[in-house]
Amino acid sequence: MVPESYRWEFVEQESDRVKQLAAETGYPEVFAGLLMARGVHNKEEAQRFLYPSEKNMYDPFLMKGMEAAVYRISQAMDAREKITIYGDYDVDGITATSILYLYLTKAGADVDYYLPDRMSEGYGLNEHAVRMLAETETKLMVTVDTGISAIGECRLAKSLGMDVVITDHHECQEELPEAVAVVDAKQPGETYPFLYLAGCGVSYKLVQGLKAYRNDQTDITEYLELAAVGTVADIVPLYDENRIIVSEGFKRMKHPANMGLGKLLESAGYDFKRKITSGFIGFGLAPRLNAGGRMGDARRGVRLFTTRDEEEAAAISAELEVENSHRKETEQMILKQVTDRIEASDAIRNSRVMVVAGEGWHHGVIGIVSSRIKDMYYRPNILLSVEDGVAKGSARSIEGFNLFDALRTCSDLMIKFGGHAAAAGMSLKAENVPELARRLNEYAKIHMDSQMLVPVQRPELRLKPSEVTLELIELIQRMEPFGQDMPEPLAEISGQLSEVRKIGADGATLRMKIMDHRRSLGTVGFRRSIMAEYYSAGMDVSIAGNLDINYYMDRQYPQMILKDVKVFREEKIEKLMTYFSLRHVTDDYKKYCDSREKTDRSWCNQVFRYLRMQAKKQGSDSEGGFLMEDIPFDSMHSAEEHIFMLMQALYVFEELGLMRVETSGPYLHYEMFPGKTAKLVDSLWYRTYFVDFGAFQ
């Protein structure tokens, strides 16, 4: 597999404003530029950004519907009416449910909670659950992290004598549910200063509102631990109020007030001497908590966070650990089945939006697999599990392509759907799946271009190796927590490679050193050892990555965690490489070829001989790889012409079945099929874009 290849878009800052901020704050200009890129414009904003405080959170009553929600819940508390919290089965829903349940329980309310079963009930409110809650004498149902699209279910609840308060954060559809109160910053007419709270964040705001309304002296800040977990896990933007929630929650997690959270952190291997990070929550804690809802009963997550029994908390954490292992096994099995189907189908592999359906795939896992497929192929995708004629699934999108808007154009095909720009869930009749794929790809032809199909790296720092210091890295670390829309700053380091080698027991890690005339900087690329096949010492390159501190032998050294490597090339060559990489997905490469003169057939012979020779140099009879512009031609043609002629020959060989060609940006890997022969004239591409016809052996 070829290495990843990104578009680089350097984040420029206005130098005068950066200098002004640096002078006002006393920070170096390079750091002031990073602050400005995150919306910091003066000393006061810098203080609020670098030292987030719960005291700076907004008044919950600025949120539309909050006053009515708090009034009705408080009324139910005073009248001892039964309140049921209806949550979602993911981490956000579990933490949102736990926050509200813990507060109402402590306040003496008659409260219970309900989380639907992912397998038998699916996402959101459902008629069976609403009827069951009414039968158990629930007088008030409060939804958290769900409910904004539950039009019929809210109508049913009202007919059964049950009031409903909706608290959610998902996108609103044209009609809002008929409820006592709707609290969702995405609803029409909302004026709340921050629109991107997670469901657990909205739940915490509701608790803030209840505390203020009832003049309650309870300390609710301990719930920020859970709100931080849910906020990170739900991948909402980590700025403004979400930044406060996560920062304050992380501070408390070193000595967690919530017993269940402490046990879960232990189970996930957290070293309480070290700082917590969004990465640890997202990749260590959240999958374990999610495993409860994906593989079994999500209510265990709420029990874990609300129990006062240490043995019960430890037992639930152990259960979740076992189920997380089972989840990984199931995920790998489904991932293989999905990738096999994609690779076996040109129609799916070359589509802008991949839609893949299979029988009996575990509903609790396909969302994770969808995320993996998005990362592997960098395409929006929908994975659907088909049972009894109904396809239920999850979808993930890429930057710039609003998946929710795309699905709205197919709403007539759906039984139910919901979500936001980057992720969604849906159910539809299995017979409608082909039409869904067709319509989404027609929509994507209009709303997606080839640039969108290439992942983006956005360096914010341009430095030489000698300019990377421990002091700068320590300043950058003050900007934590990092996460969605608040990325760890990416640096672009330019210089000459002095070392390129594979390291680690399995050779999967890449070690590079880049130097200028004063100093070298070590870089580490995890699972990027394949780049050693394309880059070598002596090359002038730019490396993109995150700056870090390497602790070794009681000393500290600056280092970089490598993300991508580039050799300088002209923009038109970059575009040509992108067009060719997406040659079977978009029409851009064909349009480029239509604008060029035809290529002479002699280049096919020259390229084929070079590829065979290159494979032998790399120790193989048939397989090789290199950077595209490395192929030698004559001195009469430009680099762009050389690369274009290489691509044209490759396209013909690929079409004739003489070799398998894999490209990503500037990287090329090929596998020749020894003994296979063909006539060039049998290639439609050759007949269209080459001059002179003849046999080729």
Side-chain angles (χ1 to χ4, degrees), residues 131-142:
R131 291 188 183 278
M132 186 271 292
L133 293 179
E135 289 172 3
T136 59
E137 299 185 353
T138 295
K139 298 300 180 186
L140 175 62
M141 177 170 63
V142 182

Side-chain angles (χ1 to χ4, degrees), residues 190-206:
E190 181 62 75
T191 58
Y192 192 69
F194 185 61
L195 307 181
Y196 303 106
L197 290 166
C200 57
V202 178
S203 183
Y204 186 80
K205 301 303 297 186
L206 180 62

Side-chain angles (χ1 to χ4, degrees), residues 162-412:
M162 186 163 51
D163 283 346
V164 180
V165 168
I166 300 288
T167 77
D168 202 348
H169 72 117
H170 292 101
E171 297 287 348
C172 302
Q173 300 191 31
E174 291 183 8
E175 183 182 358
L176 293 180
E178 188 177 345
V180 171
V182 175
V183 181
D184 185 331
K186 306 283 180 62
Q187 67 178 302
E190 181 62 75
T191 58
Y192 192 69
F194 185 61
L195 307 181
Y196 303 106
L197 290 166
C200 57
V202 178
S203 183
Y204 186 80
K205 301 303 297 186
L206 180 62
V207 169
Q208 275 189 322
L210 285 164
K211 172 181 164 67
Y213 180 81
R214 297 177 67 81
N215 196 25
D216 188 346
Q217 300 307 306
T218 301
D219 180 11
I220 63 171
T221 57
E222 66 182 74
Y223 305 144
L224 287 168
E225 297 172 3
L226 299 182
V229 171
T231 296
V232 171
D234 216 50
I235 320 179
V236 289
L238 279 199
Y239 57 84
D240 206 301
E241 203 160 32
N242 283 339
R243 179 173 173 80
I244 294 173
I245 289 171
V246 173
S247 179
E248 290 282 20
F250 280 6
K251 289 176 191 173
R252 289 164 169 77
M253 274 188 223
K254 289 187 70 68
H255 305 284
N258 189 285
M259 181 195 303
L261 178 58
K263 293 296 181 185
L264 193 64
L265 286 165
E266 288 178 15
S267 178
Y270 173 55
D271 181 355
F272 286 87
K273 294 177 183 177
R274 305 192 68 171
K275 62 186 176 185
I276 200 88
T277 65
S278 296
F280 182 83
I281 297 296
F283 298 105
L285 204 70
R288 288 165 169 80
L289 190 57
N290 249 330
R294 295 187 187 281
M295 311 304 295
D297 183 2
R299 287 175 291 187
R300 283 175 298 179
V302 182
R303 289 209 315 275
L304 174 67
F305 291 145
T306 57
T307 185
R308 297 181 180 178
D309 186 327
E310 188 171 355
E311 289 186 6
E312 183 183 19
I316 294 173
S317 293
E319 282 180 31
L320 294 178
E321 186 70 25
V322 170
E323 295 212 343
N324 190 46
S325 297
H326 179 42
R327 186 268 307 167
K328 289 179 183 177
E329 294 171 2
T330 305
E331 176 191 328
Q332 287 302 314
M333 179 186 68
I334 297 175
L335 179 63
K336 185 178 185 308
Q337 292 177 10
V338 173
T339 52
D340 285 349
R341 293 194 184 198
I342 292 172
E343 292 302 320
S345 169
D346 289 343
I348 297 175
R349 190 174 63 253
N350 298 327
S351 59
R352 287 173 168 85
V353 181
M354 295 176 167
V355 179
V356 188
E359 295 281 345
W361 287 340
H362 198 295
H363 294 291
V365 175
I366 55 176
I368 303 174
V369 177
S370 180
S371 293
R372 295 283 301 278
I373 293 296
K374 188 239 347 180
D375 294 339
M376 289 172 66
Y377 294 92
Y378 204 68
R379 308 276 175 79
N381 71 90
I382 299 176
L383 302 187
L384 296 156
S385 179
V386 179
E387 292 179 12
D388 300 324
V390 175
K392 296 180 181 179
S394 293
R396 299 293 184 271
S397 193
I398 59 176
E399 181 179 341
F401 186 74
N402 190 311
L403 188 62
F404 187 76
D405 285 349
L407 288 171
R408 272 202 287 215
T409 67
C410 306
S411 60
D412 59 303

Side-chain angles (χ1 to χ4, degrees), residues 105-176:
T105 301
K106 187 177 284 189
D110 180 4
V111 61
D112 198 359
Y113 58 86
Y114 184 88
L115 275 66
D117 181 84
R118 182 191 285 263
M119 300 296 291
S120 61
E121 296 177 86
Y123 172 78
L125 274 67
N126 63 83
E127 181 180 336
H128 168 76
V130 171
R131 291 188 183 278
M132 186 271 292
L133 293 179
E135 289 172 3
T136 59
E137 299 185 353
T138 295
K139 298 300 180 186
L140 175 62
M141 177 170 63
V142 182
T143 74
V144 291
D145 189 37
T146 190
I148 198 63
S149 60
I151 310 298
E153 290 82 2
C154 285
R155 215 173 274 133
L156 174 63
K158 184 178 181 181
S159 72
L160 296 173
M162 186 163 51
D163 283 346
V164 180
V165 168
I166 300 288
T167 77
D168 202 348
H169 72 117
H170 292 101
E171 297 287 348
C172 302
Q173 300 191 31
E174 291 183 8
E175 183 182 358
L176 293 180

Side-chain angles (χ1 to χ4, degrees), residues 592-600 644 648 689-691:
Y592 180 89
C593 295
D594 290 339
S595 70
R596 296 289 303 254
E597 292 185 3
K598 291 184 177 183
T599 305
D600 189 280
F644 175 64
Q648 288 293 72
Y689 295 109
F690 283 75
V691 293

